[in-house]
Amino acid sequence: FFQETDTKFRIKIPSLPAGDTNVNMYYGNTLATNAVDSFRFLKSRIISYYTLNESSGNTIDRCGKYNGTVTGAAYSQTGRVNTAYGFGGDGDRVDFGQQAEFDFGNSNFTFSLWVYPTEAVGFYEYFFGYVQNDSAGPWLFGRNTSGNLRVLMAHPTTWDTLVDTTLSMPTNNWSHIVIVRNGTNVYPYVNNSAGAPITNVDTLSTQATRTLKIGTYGSGEYFQGTIDEVGIWNRALTSD
């Protein structure tokens, strides 16, 4: 599943039986006769969605809320869906500023994005977070020196939660990253594989000035590669 805009969705179906051209989607309503319920569910409580399909200018939030300022990133790169942004590992980034809706506190959330790292394993690099420059959270995601997903969360002022998962993000391959908080547990996924739950996550910090960023942490450990289709929900999505 990919969300192309806030009103348009794309579903990949590997094959259909011969002569069968109808596809119906349903969620939570066995009496539904069309796909309306599924679309309503997918849009429910989504905060922002970034297709990263722009060829110039600002990064547009397809939900119409929080556009971003691009610094150095390359437009119109080959994406997982349509085009994407390329990041050179040398300061390229997108900044969205401080937004109250990204202060989740102890509330549930879901983050989803496609990441294509091109740097060889052996370096820390961060690709998505709501952070202070060179300081703590509240949340940040990256790739560790082993090439695995790294999850950091601050509560209240430092990286109280720093987990190097066993979920591999191979160089020169697309990885679909999903991070879900449900209650006090955070569930990381890469390419539909679940990592160990991160337990006892407390209220996330709202300290000092923080900025939503794609492609970096602060003034270092920049991401090298391509990023596509970034979504943020203020609820816990499920595999259903």
Side-chain angles (χ1 to χ4, degrees):
F1 156 75
F2 311 102
Q3 182 168 358
E4 193 165 340
T5 71
D6 61 331
T7 59
K8 184 178 180 181
F9 299 83
R10 179 179 297 183
I11 308 297
K12 181 178 180 181
I13 301 174
S15 63
L16 288 172
D20 188 350
T21 58
N22 294 322
V23 178
N24 294 311
M25 293 175 54
Y26 307 100
Y27 183 85
N29 181 359
T30 58
L31 301 179
T33 58
N34 55 48
V36 171
D37 283 20
S38 63
F39 286 101
R40 185 174 297 135
F41 167 75
L42 293 169
K43 290 178 61 180
S44 172
R45 291 168 60 185
I46 187 169
I47 298 175
S48 293
Y49 199 93
Y50 303 100
T51 61
L52 307 185
N53 288 338
E54 295 80 22
S55 58
S56 64
N58 292 337
T59 300
I60 303 302
D61 182 356
R62 303 301 168 175
C63 295
K65 292 183 178 180
Y66 310 118
N67 295 342
T69 301
V70 179
T71 301
Y75 299 98
S76 303
Q77 304 302 294
T78 300
R80 186 61 180 81
V81 181
N82 298 322
T83 60
Y85 286 6
F87 299 83
D90 54 359
D92 299 346
R93 65 191 184 276
V94 185
D95 296 285
F96 300 88
Q98 181 171 321
Q99 310 297 342
E101 282 197 279
F102 302 138
D103 288 320
F104 291 104
N106 59 4
S107 298
N108 294 342
F109 56 67
T110 300
F111 306 114
S112 172
L113 67 162
W114 287 91
V115 178
Y116 188 101
T118 57
E119 188 169 30
V121 170
F123 302 91
Y124 290 107
E125 51 182 344
Y126 296 98
F127 48 79
F128 186 49
Y130 190 48
V131 295
Q132 298 182 68
N133 284 337
D134 303 314
S135 187
W139 46 268
L140 175 67
F141 312 115
R143 185 177 182 239
N144 67 15
T145 56
S146 299
N148 295 337
L149 175 66
R150 169 175 264 210
V151 177
L152 299 91
M153 284 170 287
H155 43 85
T157 58
T158 60
W159 294 124
D160 306 274
T161 297
L162 193 165
V163 175
D164 286 310
T165 74
T166 60
L167 298 170
S168 177
M169 300 174 58
T171 301
N172 296 325
N173 284 275
W174 283 107
S175 291
H176 186 209
I177 312 301
V178 177
I179 310 290
V180 179
R181 177 171 182 166
N182 195 343
T184 59
N185 294 335
V186 170
Y187 302 90
Y189 301 85
V190 176
N191 293 330
N192 296 324
S193 294
I198 302 167
T199 60
N200 300 316
V201 176
D202 207 340
T203 301
L204 300 185
S205 73
T206 54
Q207 61 174 355
T209 300
R210 50 211 175 276
T211 303
L212 181 69
K213 295 177 181 289
I214 296 175
T216 184
Y217 168 20
S219 61
E221 298 177 319
Y222 296 102
F223 175 74
Q224 182 175 308
T226 309
I227 298 175
D228 202 4
E229 303 293 321
V230 180
I232 305 173
W233 288 259
N234 62 1
R235 62 191 181 96
L237 296 181
T238 70
S239 59
D240 296 328

